């Protein structure tokens, strides 16, 4: 795409009509490019088509059918889910989790990456922050219970300081627990990603900025941050995908019906599948995929524009 | 131009390929529906048949005749001359068959008749040479020094008789099992101890002690005595006097069979394998095991023969040849198992039943159905088998995946499954017409059978049910109609000063909630599928009132003692059995008699429970105290607890066979047997179900003592005609099945416990429960 655009750009910037042999050469070039693109894309595209696109096509079809008898029912399933209180609650909670969790993760991990980047013990710090990723889910669940149960460590600490204990998993505080565990588990990985970006920032440009009298903040805001912009898209998408994994811990600790603030879309889908509500799952799946695609395209467009 | 065209071939080819995949993929997804018209795709019967037709070879079962009057009180022995022998120690008769068990000649052992007619608690064994060992007690000779002294008789084949006593453990124990080895050694077990008895010197030698005591079984293999104590298998070399190392594989197998409630018969292998291999018969089938080997080789599948029937327990296994076995069952039936290499490994037609948990009545029905339809192989799949470590939700999701793929079972045992959702989604077939047809030939308890009737049809049928009962003196029961009046009564009784420990026998909040949940759960959901906060609040208030009253007279020491007792119960029994100890009427009514609780409120699971209930009532009446029982109502009235709800899948591969099996399930032949899993749904079977069994359930006297050393006697008698009629009326009054919702139950148990113990306020607990229930209901 990039080279094609460059070519188009050159053609436009030139201002002169192209010569016929030049046009011909460019078409040959484009044709070869298409061939090689097609060949390179074919294996992975086939895999994606067979395992993702076609099944999704079936899901989209099922979203207009009844659950098991598969009779066409129009948009009834969509109407049903948008009147379903559990779906609305799960969407709200998931959206809130994404809106709160991902920016927090991005900002905190960037700050930590900046701090670690200048530290003499970079590898040590990285290992410390990556450690939660190595902890198996079953152990995480035990840690959750140790920390957040009624007589857990956290409440013990609170009691010592004279603060009344909180029902971390049975009250609205469960949302804080959810966000905290997401941050804790994914911080290390995100820090590593940010550090990769930081290392790619041109040292000469930073030096030049300093020579021109830029402060550390200015240097970060006007030199480092713009260079990190391509990383934002990747990290955001990865963080979004990782955010779905927090369901495992939530499910194992609090079961299929946790405190309302912890009730995510995955809980709902899990429970719907247990009750064989395939019609609702299909309709909700299509809606969520649409929102996800819109989000990804919006991010990509934003990125392209900034580029 | 040629070049130009070529440029666009690849992208077009790619697009076409993707389109092809898309269209064929989507068509493929929809094909199943077109064929079946309903759920998923079907595997054709032909395909199904072909898969199984390829494997050949199966042990074919044949029932052999057993002597008239023989009821299983004796073991099967291969005699020295190759004939088969059984010594019926109950009747003093020796049976011999020279044609492999087809015809039996009988010979009364006159030398022992006098003893057999006058003694109590008999047991005996016959040696391959025809000599007989008999152990017995004479109750009337019991003294303070010799409490129920056990005596022994040894009768040689030529008629020489020796009477003797051994004084095992100072006459405080008696022999439970005896066997002769082929070389004439006599081995015997008491509870926990294994002896060798020298009949000529009239002495005994303690060989070793076992860890457990239930399901003892013995055989000899070479010079080894093999003893199975229900959990472990011991190998004792009686020549060297060494107890050999344990066989882990065999121990694991035995433990699994014990959990499955199966009896095990074992014997030495014959031919080249003799001395190094064992054969075992259990509910799972016939197995071969090389001692210290790594596998249990299944020779015959219990699902294909009588071994899988929960009403049959193998007591003797005898190999006649490498591929021929005889099995004698506890009820006196004898079957031969002969390997037929040309028979298909399993019958070609298959019927699959899926349930989350095992079910004895279904197993019994499989056995009966298999006899009526030998051409059908009934496969009973259990979702929550011990080895797979699944949760109920995992198992249901797996089942749903199969249902969606059109590979679901033919019948569903719906206990613990989302019945309403399956009905709504068209998974279950409407059984209205079939039930109407069955009713022409059978007389059912209609109130139970039709309990799941919906406006659009009858999709689920209960096959067994438990009855909630509350029992006590007239004065104590007075005014108890529902949960609210029960709470008031319990408080009143607790304050009356007559309570030693508890009123209802509930020591923990969890037990109380477990007891009350089935009686009230229906009241917590409104008609428009919302949680009823007021009903929940009322429930928790009443439950807290009961719990507080229960705790009033309980000391910490007593609570700890009870906790230790329950730990032992859970260690000894399965979880289900242990829960029955807490919630069942059998234990509670006895505790009532011991004055450890005032009211007995629980569930009747079987005639055994009912027998104890009426016996306790008779005991009270004998002491001029008025005692009665009634259906226990909570926030909902006239409830019963279904213990097996069955539905036929609308997409069953063999709908006719599935319906035929369901009919068998409801028929008298299956329903008449008391399997300790609930009462019959078939009115005609009720007569046979309530009839007094001839073996092991005779009337007896029970002596009990409480912690103060106070002795209480109970004459346990089988219910008479009026009492059986009373039970029938009780069943007739039941109208509503308890709908158990595991999520709601968990929410109640977790939040309710906190409310009862005061950890949370009632309001907080109600909010927590409502929040969880709302989530589920709003989905």
């Amino acid at each position: 795409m990039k080279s094609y655009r460059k070519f188009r750009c050159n053609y436009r910037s030139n201002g002169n009509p192209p010569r016929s042999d030049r046009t011909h050469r460019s078409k040959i070039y484009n044709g070869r490019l298409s061939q090689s693109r097609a060949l390179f894309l074919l294996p992975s595209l086939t895999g994606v088509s067979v395992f993702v696109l076609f099944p999704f096509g079936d899901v989209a079809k099922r979203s207009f059918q009844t659950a098991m008898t598969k009779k066409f029912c129009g948009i009834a399933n969509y109407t049903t889910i948008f009147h379903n209180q559990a779906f609305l609650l799960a969407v709200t909670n998931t959206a809130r989790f994404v809106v709160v969790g991902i920016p927090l993760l991005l900002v905190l991990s960037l700050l930590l990456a900046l701090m670690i980047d200048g530290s003499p013990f970079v590898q040590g710090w990285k290992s410390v922050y990556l450690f939660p990723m190595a902890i198996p889910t079953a152990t995480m669940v035990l840690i959750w219970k140790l920390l957040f149960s009624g007589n857990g460590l956290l409440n013990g600490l609170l009691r010592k300081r004279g603060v009344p204990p909180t029902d971390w998993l049975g009250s609205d505080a469960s949302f804080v627990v959810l966000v905290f565990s997401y941050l804790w588990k994914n911080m290390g990985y995100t820090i590593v990603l940010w550090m990769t970006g930081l290392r790619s920032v041109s040292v000469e440009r930073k030096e030049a900025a300093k020579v021109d009298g830029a402060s550390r903040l200015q240097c970060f805001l006007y030199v480092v941050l713009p260079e990190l912009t391509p990383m934002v898209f990747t990290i955001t998408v990865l963080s979004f995908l990782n955010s779905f994994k927090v369901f495992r811990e939530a499910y194992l600790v609090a079961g299929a019906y946790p405190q309302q603030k912890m009730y995510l879309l995955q809980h709902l889908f899990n429970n719907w599948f247990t009750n064989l509500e395939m019609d609702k799952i299909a309709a909700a799946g299509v809606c969520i995929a649409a929102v996800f695609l819109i989000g990804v395209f919006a991010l990509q467009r934003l990125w392209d524009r900034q580029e | 131009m040629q070049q130009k065209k070529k440029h666009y071939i690849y992208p077009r080819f790619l697009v076409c390929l993707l389109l092809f995949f898309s269209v064929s993929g989507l068509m493929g997804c929809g094909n199943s529906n077109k064929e079946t018209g309903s759920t998923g795709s079907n595997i054709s019967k032909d395909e199904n048949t072909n898969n199984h037709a390829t494997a050949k070879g199966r042990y074919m079962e044949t029932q052999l005749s057993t002597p008239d009057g023989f009821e299983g009180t004796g073991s099967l022995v291969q005699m020295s001359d190759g004939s088969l022998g059984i010594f019926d120690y109950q009747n003093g008769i020796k049976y011999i068959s020279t044609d492999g068990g087809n015809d039996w000649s009988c010979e009364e052992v006159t030398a022992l008749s006098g003893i057999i007619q006058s003694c109590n608690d008999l047991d005996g064994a016959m040696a391959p040479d025809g000599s007989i060992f008999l152990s017995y007690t004479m109750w009337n000779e019991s003294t303070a020094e010799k409490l129920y002294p056990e005596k022994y008789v040894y009768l040689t084949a030529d008629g020489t008789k020796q009477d003797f006593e051994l004084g095992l453990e100072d006459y405080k124990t008696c022999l439970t099992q005896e066997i002769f080895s082929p070389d004439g050694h006599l081995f015997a077990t008491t509870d926990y101890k294994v002896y060798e008895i020298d009949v000529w010197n009239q002495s005994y030698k303690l060989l070793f002690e076992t860890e457990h005591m239930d399901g003892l079984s013995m055989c000899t293999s070479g010079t080894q005595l093999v003893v199975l104590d229900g959990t472990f298998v011991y190998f004792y070399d009686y020549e060297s006097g060494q107890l050999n190392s344990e066989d882990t594989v065999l121990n694991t197998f035995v433990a699994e069979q014990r959990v499955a409630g199966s009896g095990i018969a074992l014997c030495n292998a014959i031919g080249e394998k003799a001395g190094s291999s064992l054969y075992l018969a259990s509910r799972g089938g016939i197995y071969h095991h090389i001692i210290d080997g790594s596998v249990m080789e299944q020779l015959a599948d219990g699902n294909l023969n009588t071994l899988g029937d929960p009403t049959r327990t193998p007591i003797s296994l005898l190999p006649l040849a490498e591929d021929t076995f005889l099995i004698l069952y506890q009820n006196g039936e004898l079957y031969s198992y002969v390997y037929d290499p040309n028979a298909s490994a399993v019958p070609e037609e298959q019927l699959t039943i899926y349930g989350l948990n095992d079910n004895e009545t279904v197993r019994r029905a499989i056995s009966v159905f298999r006899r009526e339809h030998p051409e059908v192989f009934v496969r009973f799949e259990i979702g929550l088998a011990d080895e797979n470590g699944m949760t109920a939700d995992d198992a249901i999701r797996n089942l749903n995946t199969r249902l969606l793929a059109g590979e679901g079972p033919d019948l569903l045992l719906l206990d613990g499954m989302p019945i309403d959702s399956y009905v709504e989604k068209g998974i279950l077939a409407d059984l209205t017409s079939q039930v109407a047809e069955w009713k022409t030939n059978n007389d059912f308890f209609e109130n139970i059978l039709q309990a799941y009737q919906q406006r659009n049809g009858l999709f689920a049928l209960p096959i067994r049910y438990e009855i909630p009962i509350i029992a006590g003196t007239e004065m104590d029961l007075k005014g108890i109609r529902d949960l609210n009046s029960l709470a008031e009564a319990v408080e009143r009784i607790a304050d009356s000063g007559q309570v030693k420990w508890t009123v209802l026998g509930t020591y923990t909040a969890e037990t109380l909630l477990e007891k009350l949940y089935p009686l009230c759960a229906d009241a917590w959901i409104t008609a428009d599928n919302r949680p009823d906060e007021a009903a929940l609040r009322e429930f928790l208030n009443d439950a807290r009132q009961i719990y507080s009253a229960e705790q009033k007279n309980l000391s910490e020491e007593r609570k700890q003692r009870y906790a230790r007792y329950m730990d032992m119960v859970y260690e000894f029994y399965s979880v289900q059995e242990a829960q029955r100890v807490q919630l069942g009427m059998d234990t509670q009514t006895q505790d009532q008699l011991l004055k450890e609780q005032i009211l007995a409120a629980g569930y009747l699971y079987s005639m055994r429970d009912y027998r104890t209930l009426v016996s306790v009532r008779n005991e009270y009446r004998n002491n001029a105290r008025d005692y009665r029982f009634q259906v226990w109502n909570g926030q909902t009235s006239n409830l019963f607890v279904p213990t097996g709800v069955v539905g036929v899948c609308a997409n069953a591969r063999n709908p006719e066979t599935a319906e035929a099996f369901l009919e068998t399930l409801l028929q008298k032949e299956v329903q008449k047997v008391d399997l300790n899993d609930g009462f019959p749904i078939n009115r005609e079977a009720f007569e046979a179900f309530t009839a007094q069994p001839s073996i092991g359930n005779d009337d007896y006297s029970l002596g009990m003592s409480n912690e103060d050393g106070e002795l209480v006697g109970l004459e346990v008698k089988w219910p008479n005609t009026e009492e059986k009629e009373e039970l029938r009326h009780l069943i007739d009054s039941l109208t509503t099945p308890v709908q158990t919702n595991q999520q709601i139950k968990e929410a109640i148990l977790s939040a309710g416990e906190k409310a009862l113990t005061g950890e949370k306020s009632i309001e907080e607990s109600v909010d927590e429960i409502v929040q969880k229930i709302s989530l589920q209901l709003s989905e």
Side-chain angles (χ1 to χ4, degrees), chain B residues 209-220:
Chain B
E209 293 187 29
T210 62
E211 279 189 35
H212 301 87
M213 56 172 281
D214 55 330
L216 281 166
S217 183
M218 288 192 289
C219 77
T220 54

Side-chain angles (χ1 to χ4, degrees), chain B residues 70-349:
Chain B
F70 176 64
E71 291 183 331
T73 47
S75 306
L76 191 63
V77 180
Q78 184 144 39
M79 309 303 284
S80 310
D81 60 1
S83 61
L84 300 174
I86 299 172
F87 172 58
D88 180 354
Y89 55 78
Q90 207 69 50
N91 299 308
I93 299 172
K94 193 192 279 186
Y95 301 107
I96 299 291
S97 171
T98 52
D99 59 357
N102 288 309
D103 290 306
W104 294 87
S105 64
C106 67
E107 176 196 330
E108 190 174 349
V109 187
T110 47
L112 301 174
S113 335
I115 294 170
I116 288 169
Q117 280 164 19
S118 57
C119 74
N120 315 91
D121 292 343
L122 272 166
D123 205 8
M126 183 162 69
D129 68 353
S131 52
I132 291 166
F133 174 79
L134 194 73
S135 67
Y136 63 97
T137 48
M138 306 288 271
W139 288 2
N140 54 2
E141 291 178 17
S142 180
T143 61
E145 292 77 37
K146 292 180 179 183
L147 197 64
Y148 305 116
E150 190 171 52
K151 295 182 173 186
Y152 313 99
V153 183
Y154 180 66
L155 184 70
T156 60
D158 59 9
T160 312
K161 185 178 154 195
Q162 293 206 58
D163 291 277
F164 59 100
E165 287 185 42
L166 293 172
L168 289 172
E169 294 177 55
D170 298 330
Y171 298 98
K172 282 176 186 158
T173 188
C174 58
L175 301 181
T176 52
Q177 282 259 327
E178 305 87 16
I179 58 154
F180 282 98
S181 68
D183 53 359
H185 289 265
L186 173 62
F187 300 101
T189 59
T190 61
D191 292 343
Y192 301 107
K193 288 181 181 170
V194 181
Y195 298 96
E196 181 174 357
I197 295 171
D198 185 339
V199 289
W200 299 110
N201 293 320
Q202 299 177 357
S203 62
Y204 66 90
K205 180 183 159 191
L206 174 65
L207 302 182
F208 60 94
E209 293 187 29
T210 62
E211 279 189 35
H212 301 87
M213 56 172 281
D214 55 330
L216 281 166
S217 183
M218 288 192 289
C219 77
T220 54
S221 172
T223 59
Q224 291 196 106
L225 170 68
V226 186
V227 179
L228 190 155
D229 76 348
T231 305
F232 292 113
V233 184
Y234 302 85
F235 293 91
Y236 180 84
D237 191 316
Y238 55 84
E239 288 210 334
S240 65
Q242 291 290 312
L243 190 60
N244 294 333
S245 59
E246 61 181 58
D247 184 328
T248 324
V249 173
L250 193 56
N251 283 343
T252 309
F253 170 79
V254 169
E256 283 169 5
Q257 297 299 312
R258 183 176 180 253
V259 170
S262 167
I264 300 176
L266 73 166
C267 67
N268 184 24
I270 54 169
E272 288 175 4
K273 295 175 186 169
S276 62
S277 294
L278 294 174
Y279 290 119
L280 296 100
S282 70
R283 193 184 280 186
I286 302 173
Y287 295 84
H288 169 241
H289 176 69
I290 297 170
I291 297 169
D292 286 330
S294 57
V295 289
M296 296 297 302
E297 180 193 2
Q298 190 186 46
L299 303 178
D301 186 350
N303 290 318
L304 299 170
N305 51 52
T306 306
L307 281 163
D309 189 337
T311 61
R312 302 286 187 274
T313 304
I315 52 170
S316 291
L317 169 67
L318 196 66
L320 296 181
E322 279 283 323
D323 54 4
T324 307
F325 295 92
L326 289 180
I327 295 179
L328 180 67
Y329 291 90
Q330 203 168 29
N331 65 346
E333 287 177 355
L334 180 68
Y335 287 86
S336 78
Y337 298 83
V338 181
Y339 186 74
D340 180 354
N342 298 317
S344 59
V346 289
E348 290 176 359
E349 195 179 340

Side-chain angles (χ1 to χ4, degrees), chain A residues 143-161:
Chain A
I143 295 171
W144 270 48
K145 286 185 174 170
L146 269 173
L147 281 173
F148 302 116
S149 68
N151 296 316
L153 292 172
L154 206 55
N155 276 341
L157 279 173
L158 290 177
R159 276 195 202 98
K160 272 189 178 176
R161 298 189 178 279

Side-chain angles (χ1 to χ4, degrees), chain A residues 42 54 257 263 271 273 275, chain B residues 14 21 39 400 421 425 779:
Chain A
L42 193 60
F54 305 147
Y257 295 95
Y263 185 73
N271 299 338
F273 191 74
N275 289 316
Chain B
L14 189 64
F21 274 127
T39 318
N400 288 351
S421 179
K425 301 289 178 299
E779 280 176 352

Side-chain angles (χ1 to χ4, degrees), chain B residues 436-454:
Chain B
E437 193 185 319
W438 298 336
K439 279 200 279 192
T440 57
N441 302 321
N442 294 277
D443 188 10
F444 296 109
F445 286 103
E446 292 253 352
N447 50 326
I448 311 281
L449 187 74
Q450 305 278 132
Y452 286 91
Q453 181 72 53
Q454 298 189 1

